[in-house]
Structure formats: structure tokens, C-alpha cells
Amino acid sequence: GVEMASYKKKYALDHRHLGIGGQADVFRATNKDTGDDFALKRCRSKDDDGLARFRREIEIQNSLDHRNIMPIIEHDEDDFLWYVMPLATKSLASELPPIHDALIEKVAEDCLAGLRHAHGEGPVHRDVKPQNILLLEGDSGIRWVVADWGCARKKPGLTTQIRTRTGEFVATEGFAPPEVYT
């Protein structure tokens, strides 16, 4: 559609998904001018609740400037239907057991630093799981980042149910906070 045309001018998407989530798909995206590779997350939801969650994800993630939180490089400023982020090397979910103590310490240190920063600013992630912990390698070194802030709440004390109007469960079962199970 028209709303998707804005990223197609600048990025060429790989035909295979890097990831498929509850409301969005992630693709490798190559910048047509520079040849640099990124990840482009595109909202798949068409209902108002899903679109609002995706917009909130962009707003929250954009507001958190920390080396251990996945940065947003750019996004669709009109409809909030897609955003571009650095291309991760892998997710924690791709690590096979046994995971060495040094890796566990590094992941915990990095992710806790990012989450501590976010919680100090107000947002609470509410869907921390191995698939949302990604490895970035680049000019600022190797670091683990917390990604996918689509289930986050903006301020502590303002907890809302993470459900659609039909009552469908949105967060990841087993990783979601206790309040979504009530």
C-alpha cells in the first residue's frame, strides 16, 4: 500500500523473514544508496489495538537512549508502520546449551544495564525472553541489547492488560509479567 512505499524507496528487503512475531515481521533490509544492511520491522497488524501497540513500541524504544537497548535508526513518521534498526548478529535463543559462564555474565550485565536504564526512565519491557535479546557488533564494540518493546508499559503503576479487544493473549506465555494472567 501507499504507507509501505516510503521504506521501499530507500531499502531493498530480502525475501526471507529474519523473524516473525505476533504483530510484525522482521526482514534484512539493504540501504539502496550505501549498500549497508539493517533490519526492518514491519507491522502486520491491521486492527487499531495492534497498530497502537506498534506505535507505542516505536515511541518507547526511540525514547530510550542506551547502548544495551536496541536503537531505532529511522521509522515511518506518518503511520508508524515500520522501523529500521541495526542488523543483529544473533539472538540469545540461538545459543545452544551449555552456555558458558562468561557468556551468561556478559548477557546479564548488558541486559540488566539496559533494563535498569529503561526502568529509571519509566518504561517496563514485560516480554524479556531469549528471542528479544540480540547481539550487536560494530564500532561501539560487541554488546547484547534488549529489543522488541511492543508489550512495554510506559510508566510503573499504569499497568494495562496486554490483550486485544477480543481477549486474545498478546505477550509471550512463560515470559510475560504476572499481571497479564489475571
Side-chain angles (χ1 to χ4, degrees):
V2 175
E3 67 274 359
M4 294 298 181
S6 58
Y7 76 75
K8 290 181 180 180
K9 294 175 186 174
K10 189 171 182 179
Y11 297 97
L13 299 188
D14 191 31
H15 65 281
R16 290 175 292 166
H17 294 87
L18 290 174
I20 301 172
Q23 69 178 20
D25 301 320
V26 180
F27 297 89
R28 177 184 299 264
T30 303
N31 183 301
K32 293 177 181 179
D33 295 330
T34 66
D36 295 331
D37 287 330
F38 298 94
L40 186 139
K41 187 169 184 177
R42 181 175 69 189
C43 185
R44 189 176 59 249
S45 181
K46 300 294 183 211
D47 67 80
D48 290 342
D49 290 339
L51 294 170
R53 274 192 306 276
F54 198 75
R55 181 183 191 112
R56 183 177 65 231
E57 176 178 352
I58 292 171
E59 290 171 347
I60 289 173
Q61 209 164 319
N62 243 349
S63 73
L64 299 171
D65 184 19
H66 191 274
R67 68 177 267 106
N68 300 113
I69 294 175
M70 178 61 83
I72 291 179
I73 296 168
E74 69 175 314
H75 64 87
D76 170 23
E77 295 185 20
D78 296 325
D79 300 308
F80 290 82
L81 296 173
W82 59 268
Y83 67 86
V84 175
M85 57 191 155
L87 184 62
T89 306
K90 61 182 171 181
S91 76
L92 184 58
S94 67
E95 290 292 325
L96 298 175
I99 299 176
H100 301 287
D101 290 348
L103 176 59
I104 292 170
E105 289 174 18
K106 176 66 173 156
V107 170
E109 179 182 302
D110 286 359
C111 292
L112 289 173
L115 292 170
R116 188 177 314 114
H117 172 77
H119 293 178
E121 296 291 315
V124 175
H125 191 284
R126 301 198 302 180
D127 196 23
V128 178
K129 60 184 178 182
Q131 295 85 345
N132 291 340
I133 299 173
L134 305 176
L135 182 65
L136 293 182
E137 300 181 51
D139 296 339
S140 52
I142 296 173
R143 67 190 194 276
W144 291 92
V145 298
V146 181
D148 194 351
W149 290 77
C151 291
R153 70 175 183 203
K154 288 188 176 182
K155 300 244 182 225
L158 299 177
T159 303
T160 57
Q161 296 295 321
I162 309 174
R163 299 182 186 275
T164 64
R165 281 183 271 179
T166 60
E168 179 184 331
F169 194 79
V170 174
T172 305
E173 194 165 337
F175 293 96
E179 67 266 15
V180 302
Y181 293 100
T182 59

